[in-house]
C-alpha cells in the first residue's frame, strides 16, 4: 500500500520539491496552501490550510483522512522568515512568526496524532533550520522559533514512541527558494542606530538565499529519512560550512563563537 504524505506549505520551495519527488516515488501526496485555488501547476493535490488557524488545520487533516483513510507521514514544512533588530520588530510580527513556525506545527501534530495512534504507526518530520541552532544577529526571532521546534521534537519523540510514532527534525541551511520574498523585513529606518549594520546584514542574507543550494537536495534527504526504519532525532542538510558551524558552537567557548559570528556579519 502506498504511503500517504501530508506536506504543509507544499505549493512552492522546499515543500513543492519534496512533494514532487515523493509523488514520483509512488507516495500519495497531499500538499497544503493558504490559497490552493491560485496554484494551477501542482502535480499533487493541494488542500487549503493556514497553520495559524486551528480549525483550518483540523479541517485539512480530516479531509486527507476522508480521502485516503490514513496519514502515514506528516512533513511540517510551512514557515516564514523574519529579519530585523529585535528592538525594532513590531510585537505583532514576532507573534505571527511564532504562530507560523512553532505553534502551527504543534497544532498540526496534535491534529494527526489520534489517527497515527489508531494506526499504531506514523512519521512526523519537522523542517526547522540550521539557524535554529544559534542566535543570529537580525535573525534572532527566526532562530528562536526554529530552535524551539527542535526542542519540542525532542520531547514529543519520547511521549509518542510507545504508540509506534516517530518524530524527527530536519534543519536545512540556505536553499534557493522564495522565502526571502515572503519574509517580514523590519524596515530600514533612517537615523536608526541599526541602519547601517542591519542594512549590510540584510543584503548578505538575501545573497545567501539567492545563491543557495537546490531544494531538490532536501527532497532526496527526506526520502532517505522516510526509508530509514529508525530515523535519528536531528538531521542537517546544507553545505559543509553551514553544518560545521553547529559543531563549532558546541566545541568553542561562547565568546569565541560570538566573535566568529560578528566577524562573519562584519559587526
Amino acid at each position: 500500500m502506498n504511503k500517504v504524505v501530508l506536506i504543509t506549505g507544499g505549493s512552492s520551495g522546499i515543500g513543492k520539491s519534496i512533494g514532487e519527488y515523493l509523488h514520483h516515488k509512488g507516495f500519495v501526496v497531499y500538499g497544503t496552501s493558504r490559497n490552493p485555488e491560485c496554484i494551477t501547476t501542482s502535480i499533487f493535490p493541494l488542500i487549503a490550510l493556514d497553520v495559524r488557524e486551528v480549525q483550518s488545520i483540523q479541517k485539512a487533516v480530516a479531509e486527507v483522512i476522508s480521502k485516503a483513510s490514513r496519514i502515514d507521514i506528516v512533513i511540517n514544512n510551512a514557515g516564514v522568515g523574519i529579519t530585523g533588530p529585535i528592538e525594532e520588530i513590531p510585537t505583532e510580527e514576532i507573534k505571527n512568526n511564532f504562530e507560523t513556525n512553532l505553534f502551527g506545527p504543534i497544532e498540526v501534530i496534535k491534529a494527526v496524532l489520534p489517527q497515527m495512534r489508531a494506526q499504531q504507526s506514523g512519521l512526523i518530520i519537522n523542517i526547522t533550520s540550521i539557524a535554529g541552532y544559534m542566535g543570529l544577529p537580525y535573525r534572532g526571532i527566526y532562530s528562536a522559533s526554529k530552535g524551539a521546534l527542535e526542542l519540542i521534537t525532542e520531547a514529543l519523540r519520547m511521549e509518542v514512541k510507545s504508540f509506534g510514532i516517530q518524530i524527527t527534525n530536519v534543519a536545512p541551511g540556505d536553499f534557493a527558494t522564495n522565502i526571502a520574498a515572503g519574509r517580514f523585513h523590519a524596515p530600514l529606518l533612517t537615523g536608526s542606530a541599526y541602519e547601517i549594520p542591519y542594512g549590510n546584514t540584510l543584503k548578505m542574507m538575501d545573497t545567501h538565499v539567492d545563491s543557495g543550494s537546490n531544494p531538490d537536495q532536501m527532497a532526496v534527504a527526506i526520502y532517505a529519512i522516510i526509508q530509514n526504519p529508525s530515523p535519528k532525532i536531528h538531521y542537517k542538510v546544507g553545505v559543509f560550512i553551514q553544518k560545521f558551524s553547529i559543531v563549532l558552537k558546541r566545541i568553542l567557548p561562547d565568546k569565541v563563537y560570538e566573535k566568529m559570528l560578528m566577524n562573519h556579519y562584519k559587526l
Side-chain angles (χ1 to χ4, degrees):
M1 182 171 56
N2 294 341
K3 290 187 175 181
V4 178
V5 184
L6 173 62
I7 306 172
T8 66
S11 62
S12 63
I14 288 174
K16 180 180 179 182
S17 292
I18 293 171
E20 290 177 348
Y21 191 87
L22 295 182
H23 172 82
H24 290 306
K25 289 291 184 180
F27 290 81
V28 178
V29 177
Y30 292 90
T32 76
S33 171
R34 280 182 290 179
N35 301 292
E37 67 280 359
C38 298
I39 311 298
T40 59
T41 58
S42 180
I43 64 172
F44 50 88
L46 292 174
I47 295 172
L49 186 151
D50 186 336
V51 295
R52 299 168 300 178
E53 298 178 3
V54 174
Q55 288 185 334
S56 174
I57 293 169
Q58 293 173 342
K59 182 179 178 181
V61 169
E63 183 175 344
V64 173
I65 294 172
S66 174
K67 291 179 176 179
S69 301
R70 60 187 297 114
I71 297 180
D72 298 293
I73 301 156
V74 169
I75 301 173
N76 265 319
N77 168 73
V80 291
I82 185 169
T83 66
I86 292 174
E87 181 182 354
E88 294 180 354
I89 299 176
T91 300
E92 59 269 24
E93 292 296 342
I94 295 174
K95 291 179 178 179
N96 178 68
N97 190 266
F98 272 78
E99 287 287 347
T100 305
N101 291 355
L102 177 62
F103 300 126
I106 291 173
E107 292 296 341
V108 171
I109 291 169
K110 290 166 69 173
V112 301
L113 281 179
Q115 176 64 33
M116 290 184 169
R117 195 161 50 244
Q119 297 167 184
Q120 297 185 327
S121 67
L123 171 64
I124 298 170
I125 300 174
N126 291 325
I127 306 299
T128 59
S129 173
I130 286 178
Y133 282 83
M134 59 204 74
L136 296 176
Y138 305 111
R139 293 181 73 186
I141 301 304
Y142 182 75
S143 290
S145 65
K146 291 296 189 177
L149 187 56
E150 289 273 343
L151 294 180
I152 288 289
T153 301
E154 291 181 3
L156 269 169
R157 277 177 60 94
M158 294 182 279
E159 294 176 3
V160 303
K161 191 177 287 286
S162 64
F163 307 135
I165 301 168
Q166 301 191 81
I167 306 181
T168 186
N169 287 315
V170 180
D174 290 321
F175 281 84
T177 69
N178 62 350
I179 187 171
R183 178 194 291 154
F184 172 80
H185 297 290
L188 277 171
L189 301 177
T190 302
S192 165
Y194 305 101
E195 180 181 2
I196 294 175
Y198 172 43
N200 292 337
T201 303
L202 198 56
K203 292 175 185 176
M204 181 183 296
M205 286 188 286
D206 289 343
T207 300
H208 288 170
V209 171
D210 291 340
S211 62
S213 304
N214 189 320
D216 289 348
Q217 293 181 25
M218 273 291 288
V220 174
I222 293 295
Y223 177 69
I225 292 167
I226 292 172
Q227 298 300 104
N228 187 336
S230 182
K232 298 189 298 183
I233 303 173
H234 303 284
Y235 293 88
K236 294 90 178 175
V237 182
V239 298
F240 171 78
I241 191 62
Q242 292 170 351
K243 293 186 287 185
F244 189 57
S245 65
I246 299 173
V247 177
L248 289 177
K249 187 176 193 297
R250 196 159 52 233
I251 63 177
L252 290 176
D254 289 348
K255 287 188 176 180
V256 173
Y257 189 77
E258 179 186 65
K259 183 65 174 176
M260 185 187 75
L261 283 181
M262 293 185 74
N263 288 338
H264 175 72
Y265 286 99
K266 297 179 174 58
L267 299 176

